Amino acid sequence: VQLQASGGGLVQAGASLRLSCAASGRTFSGGIMGWFRQAPGKEREFAASITWSGGSTNYADSVKGRFTISRDNAKNTVYLQMNSLKPEDTAVYYCAGARYKLGSRDDVNYWGQGTLVTVSS
């Protein structure tokens, strides 16, 4: 399974940005996709996840109410809509896939490359 993330960039505080993650190769049904992020000097942390089948979502408290994760099963693509961005959202965002659960780095079976999001104040 290959994961290709895109959509990062430089925005001002309060702006919106949408990240995309396209899955290819031997994709897995019934699994979970999500996003982690790693700010400078900090550990990679969970941001959001969604199940391929039922579309159940889960969010970190720090992004809840501002970020929305969604998926397009036909395109094997997961999106992260980020609204009301804050400077503390600045990080490299990584797409991730897991077979059973996705709440920590240890759960991840597949990583995509990161895409940088920079939010200026």
Side-chain angles (χ1 to χ4, degrees):
V1 177
Q2 292 80 45
L3 304 177
Q4 181 71 38
S6 62
L10 171 63
V11 296
Q12 290 188 329
S16 298
L17 208 57
R18 190 177 80 157
L19 306 181
S20 299
C21 175
S24 61
R26 185 170 174 249
T27 55
F28 48 97
S29 61
I32 304 171
M33 293 291 291
W35 294 90
F36 285 69
R37 65 184 186 178
Q38 188 166 15
K42 296 187 177 181
E43 292 190 349
R44 195 173 300 187
E45 63 177 11
F46 169 81
S49 67
I50 187 168
T51 60
W52 274 122
S53 57
S56 296
T57 59
N58 190 31
Y59 297 94
D61 289 342
S62 57
V63 307
K64 198 173 294 183
R66 300 186 299 121
F67 291 11
T68 302
I69 189 170
S70 61
R71 91 271 191 234
D72 185 330
N73 293 59
K75 295 182 179 180
N76 286 330
T77 300
V78 173
Y79 305 97
L80 185 67
Q81 178 66 43
M82 305 184 294
N83 297 330
S84 302
L85 283 162
K86 305 174 182 180
E88 50 263 44
D89 293 318
T90 295
V92 177
Y93 284 71
Y94 295 90
C95 179
R99 296 186 185 92
Y100 308 113
K101 61 186 180 77
L102 191 60
S104 71
R105 290 174 296 172
D106 292 340
D107 299 328
V108 177
N109 298 113
Y110 306 98
W111 286 106
Q113 93 289 1
T115 185
L116 178 62
V117 173
T118 304
V119 184
S120 63
S121 58

